[in-house]
Amino acid sequence: MSKSVSNPAHRGAPRPFRSPNVSIARSIAGSLSGHGKLIGRITLASGIAAGALVAVPAANAAPVSHETTTLESTAESAKVVEAPTLEASATPTAMLTDIKQLERAVEVQERKAEAARKAAEAKRKAAIAAKKAAEAKKKAEAEAKAFAASQEGKIERAISVASEQIGDPYVWGATGPSSFDCSGLTQYAFSAAGIELPRVSRDQAAALPTVPNDQIQRGDLMFWGSPVYHVGIFLRWENGQAIMLHAPKPGSAVREEAAWDGWFAGSTHQA
């Protein structure tokens, strides 16, 4: 009969955890109490002294008590960085290593949370800026629309239309769109802006209030003669000289130039 060989019960099986003595446990607890980053986050269970295993929770485990690690939520919650599941260690040195690993995982989570907070704040500020820009644009559009509907806006529109005709030839009796006489130009430009004027310069002068020459405003009309025979659009004063836009005479073209002598002003602003 063959001789039986007994196998030890523990061969091939995990070695049992041996309880640290009280003095070692107290030494670990004392060293951890000074570990600033984990104060208030990790507490060694009092069961260490009694030889109980310390279970370090996984990063996604549900909260157990006030002794577990807590991260403040941000405006937009950061994704939790999964920390490694830490196994109970058989030696005090390994336990300290496990705790340091957990600390690093917590720091990663905190950085993620801070990044999410900053991103949320940046998004909030961008939304506020976009809203203000939209409001400013809407206000500007409303003001532009109101100006265009005003008499001043209409006059500026008439000047713009008349300026677009610079270079078009003077043709007696022409009213546009590619050639003009003097009153044909003023009628064409102001009609495009919503201000109706009579056809000829004499009737245009009669239709507008006369104002002193030194009170003339941009867009008012300048007339010559009695009876009136010519009309132009006042633009500005330049070195004490009135500058007008008009269709001068046969053989010339629509242009800007210094006003001829002997003019008087008719107000389109008071029309």
Side-chain angles (χ1 to χ4, degrees):
M1 184 173 69
S2 62
K3 186 177 179 180
S4 62
V5 180
S6 61
N7 294 319
H10 63 276
R11 180 173 297 174
R15 296 178 64 186
F17 174 76
R18 292 183 294 176
S19 303
N21 59 41
V22 173
S23 62
I24 292 176
R26 287 177 179 171
S27 174
I28 294 170
S31 65
L32 289 176
S33 64
H35 207 278
K37 292 184 179 180
L38 291 180
I39 291 177
R41 297 179 182 168
I42 301 174
T43 302
L44 288 178
S46 59
I48 292 177
L53 291 178
V54 178
V56 181
N60 293 329
V64 191
S65 69
H66 64 280
E67 294 178 343
T68 58
T69 303
T70 304
L71 296 178
E72 294 183 356
S73 59
T74 58
E76 289 187 10
S77 300
K79 289 185 178 180
V80 176
V81 176
E82 186 172 331
T85 301
L86 305 179
E87 301 295 338
S89 303
T91 66
T93 301
M95 292 177 69
L96 287 174
T97 300
D98 289 347
I99 291 171
K100 288 179 180 178
Q101 290 178 354
L102 179 59
E103 179 188 22
R104 286 194 293 270
V106 169
E107 288 175 348
V108 169
Q109 291 182 18
E110 287 177 336
R111 286 195 296 271
K112 280 286 187 178
E114 179 63 12
R117 185 194 67 77
K118 289 181 178 179
E121 180 65 12
K123 185 177 180 181
R124 184 186 70 82
K125 289 181 178 179
I128 292 173
K131 182 179 179 182
K132 287 182 178 180
E135 290 174 349
K137 181 180 179 182
K138 185 177 180 180
K139 182 180 178 181
E141 289 174 348
E143 290 175 349
K145 186 176 181 180
F147 178 77
S150 69
Q151 187 72 359
E152 190 71 30
K154 290 178 180 179
I155 291 172
E156 286 299 322
R157 170 62 179 161
I159 294 172
S160 177
V161 171
S163 297
E164 291 171 0
Q165 315 314 314
I166 291 176
D168 287 352
Y170 178 100
V171 175
W172 187 85
T175 58
S178 57
S179 61
F180 302 89
D181 64 12
C182 65
S183 57
L185 175 66
T186 53
Q187 185 189 47
Y188 178 85
F190 279 86
S191 177
I195 299 175
E196 298 301 327
L197 294 175
R199 167 65 187 89
V200 298
S201 59
R202 182 183 307 175
D203 292 341
Q204 290 178 7
L208 298 176
T210 300
V211 295
N213 286 7
D214 61 358
Q215 295 180 20
I216 194 170
Q217 300 181 63
R218 176 177 167 82
D220 285 346
L221 299 187
M222 308 170 76
F223 297 100
W224 283 263
S226 181
V228 174
Y229 65 87
H230 187 67
V231 61
I233 304 171
F234 173 75
L235 298 179
R236 61 187 180 277
W237 291 101
E238 195 171 281
N239 299 322
Q241 178 70 56
I243 304 299
M244 67 177 175
L245 173 62
H246 69 151
K249 58 185 178 179
S252 63
V254 176
R255 66 193 184 204
E256 287 185 19
E257 64 178 338
W260 304 338
D261 293 336
W263 57 275
F264 70 91
S267 175
T268 57
H269 290 79
Q270 299 176 28

